[in-house]
């Protein structure tokens, strides 16, 4: 089986970057769509379905789904070129990028524990990609 370090090339690096970008900004667009619709009531199935119907007409939701489709295509291309065990660890960087972008775009707050977790995720992904 091919390994990430033996097949890592600029094209694989760009695929990882595009995957992480699309994964991150699909979540941002999903958040934007939900903010546009407003908080959902969970008191009845009818209110749930009304919320879902409102989401379906949001352009941000459509954009988020399209970005996830691009991310899926990147992931499949990466699977044909890298080991799953290493690629999955590197793709975990999105667990760091989503909170960081949400701070910038939505003025969300990160606790010290969250910041430390982001650092550990990034460090782990970096170390795993080098081995």
């Amino acid at each position: 089986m091919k390994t990430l370090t033996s097949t890592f090339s600029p094209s694989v690096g760009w695929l990882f970057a595009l995957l992480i970008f699309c994964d991150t900004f699909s979540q941002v667009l999903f958040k934007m769509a939900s903010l546009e619709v407003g908080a959902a009531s969970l008191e009845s199935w009818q209110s749930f379905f009304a919320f879902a119907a409102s989401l379906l007409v949001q352009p941000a939701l459509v954009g988020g789904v399209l970005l996830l489709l691009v991310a899926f295509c990147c992931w499949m291309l990466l699977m044909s070129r890298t080991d799953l065990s290493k690629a999955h660890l590197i793709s975990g960087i999105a667990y760091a990028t989503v909170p960081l972008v949400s701070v910038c775009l939505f003025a969300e707050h990160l606790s010290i524990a969250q910041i430390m977790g982001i650092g550990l995720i990034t460090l782990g992904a970096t170390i795993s990609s080098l081995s």
Side-chain angles (χ1 to χ4, degrees), residues 78-97:
L78 285 165
M79 290 299 90
S80 69
R81 292 171 174 76
T82 61
D83 288 346
L84 175 60
S85 59
K86 292 182 181 181
H88 195 265
L89 289 168
I90 294 171
S91 70
I93 290 175
Y95 287 108
T97 58

Side-chain angles (χ1 to χ4, degrees), residues 1 4 7-8 11-24 26 66-95 125 128-129:
M1 177 175 270
L4 180 61
T7 61
F8 195 82
S11 62
V12 168
W14 282 109
L15 278 173
F16 271 117
L18 184 58
L19 168 67
I20 292 165
F21 174 87
C22 290
D23 191 16
T24 299
S26 67
L66 290 175
L67 283 179
L68 278 183
L69 180 61
V70 173
F72 173 76
C73 292
C74 290
W75 183 249
M76 295 308 294
L77 287 168
L78 285 165
M79 290 299 90
S80 69
R81 292 171 174 76
T82 61
D83 288 346
L84 175 60
S85 59
K86 292 182 181 181
H88 195 265
L89 289 168
I90 294 171
S91 70
I93 290 175
Y95 287 108
S128 70
S129 69

Side-chain angles (χ1 to χ4, degrees), residues 5-73:
T5 53
S6 67
T7 61
F8 195 82
S9 65
S11 62
V12 168
W14 282 109
L15 278 173
F16 271 117
L18 184 58
L19 168 67
I20 292 165
F21 174 87
C22 290
D23 191 16
T24 299
F25 284 96
S26 67
Q27 299 305 312
V28 167
L29 289 171
F30 291 154
K31 175 72 173 181
M32 291 172 68
S34 68
L35 288 174
E36 191 66 31
V37 171
S41 170
L42 300 176
E43 294 179 16
S44 70
W45 283 106
Q46 183 180 11
S47 59
F48 169 78
F49 287 119
F51 175 78
S54 297
L55 277 177
L56 290 176
V57 297
Q58 293 299 315
L61 180 77
V62 174
V65 170
L66 290 175
L67 283 179
L68 278 183
L69 180 61
V70 173
F72 173 76
C73 292

